[in-house]
Amino acid sequence: MTAPREIDTGLDGFRWWPGALDAAAQAALLAEVLRAVELSPFYRPVTPGGRPFSVRMTNLGPLGWVSDRDGYRYQPTHPETDAPWPPIPETLLDLWRDLTGWPEPPDACLVNLYREAAKMGLHQDRDEADLNAPVLSVSLGDTAIFRVGPAAGGPTKSIRLASGDVCALTGPARLARHGIDRLLPGSSGLIPGGGRINLTLRRAGPSSRQS
Ligand code: MD6
Ligand code: FE
């Protein structure tokens, strides 16, 4: 791919490439994701405290992020079907390599489905074995109000993640606090039934790099 334009948000290590995927690339990626979802359906996880998420989830790749009464973890199988997660599409592996330059491919891709009123509270991504590896996020469908701020707390910035936008938490922003305040329903017609799909690519398992 030709390198997409990157925007400086002023938060060191938070990277944002608006419109990294054009309309054709978005449609092609969505088709691949929806095919995978036929084998590995969206389900609604609960927090360790037993509250259902408003977002529905599934995963792609050798490991998938799950949450239930026992806590947060990565596991190789779908919690409801017990089947292995489908593979991560090649186009996402290419995007990871091109944009992050990380020497190893992602081994986990969390797929979040937001319908109209779904949101995600401020959180840090810290369930991965190597917290130096970046997390790369791809947005499809309705625009979302994304809030991001320093790991230690303090002021947050709000940015609009539109369909085709890619962002990443890297380096000093790897443990940034972030979440989705809300969607702008109807801002995109990409997702059948409406809403937004977010894909987050990670290195979840231990790194094979020598340290
Ligand atoms: C979302 N994203 O965009 C939720 N995590 O729906 C995330 O939680 C996220 O966008 C790590 C890195 C980038 C992200
Ligand atoms: Fe996150």
Side-chain angles (χ1 to χ4, degrees):
M1 75 190 285
T2 53
R5 181 177 54 105
E6 182 172 353
I7 296 284
D8 184 1
T9 59
L11 185 67
D12 196 20
F14 176 72
R15 306 185 65 189
W16 182 25
W17 298 269
L21 302 182
D22 65 17
Q26 292 169 40
L29 176 58
L30 178 65
E32 288 195 275
V33 169
L34 293 180
R35 249 194 325 273
V37 165
E38 286 176 24
L39 305 170
S40 194
F42 286 112
Y43 70 100
R44 191 182 299 277
V46 296
T47 66
R51 280 171 52 99
F53 281 74
S54 61
V55 175
R56 288 192 282 155
M57 298 182 182
T58 187
N59 287 273
L60 308 171
L63 291 171
W65 187 88
V66 300
S67 172
D68 60 20
R69 287 280 188 178
D70 296 329
Y72 304 143
R73 66 190 173 279
Y74 284 94
Q75 66 179 40
T77 53
H78 191 294
E80 293 185 351
T81 68
D82 290 327
W85 308 107
I88 300 174
E90 206 68 46
T91 48
L92 288 176
L93 301 176
D94 291 348
L95 195 68
W96 167 277
R97 191 198 53 226
D98 292 348
L99 294 183
T100 72
W102 192 255
E104 293 182 301
D107 58 6
C109 177
L110 174 62
V111 187
N112 290 318
L113 172 65
Y114 297 74
R115 296 297 191 191
E116 196 153 314
K119 55 195 171 153
M120 186 174 294
L122 276 183
H123 66 276
Q124 292 174 296
D125 285 33
R126 54 185 322 152
D127 301 317
E128 299 73 33
D130 180 355
L131 294 176
N132 294 303
V135 181
L136 187 77
S137 146
V138 180
S139 293
L140 295 173
D142 283 344
T143 297
I145 310 292
F146 180 79
R147 180 180 294 282
V148 58
T156 57
K157 287 177 194 289
S158 193
I159 69 168
R160 287 179 177 216
L161 289 180
S163 196
D165 286 11
V166 177
C167 68
L169 299 179
T170 75
R174 176 61 180 77
L175 292 177
R177 287 150 48 83
H178 60 280
I180 298 291
D181 288 348
R182 62 189 173 88
L183 300 191
L184 303 182
S187 46
S188 158
L190 184 68
I191 309 291
R196 171 174 183 264
I197 288 178
N198 175 256
L199 304 146
T200 43
L201 295 155
R202 309 138 196 272
R203 283 293 309 174
S207 172
S208 60
R209 293 176 306 148
Q210 306 293 324
S211 55

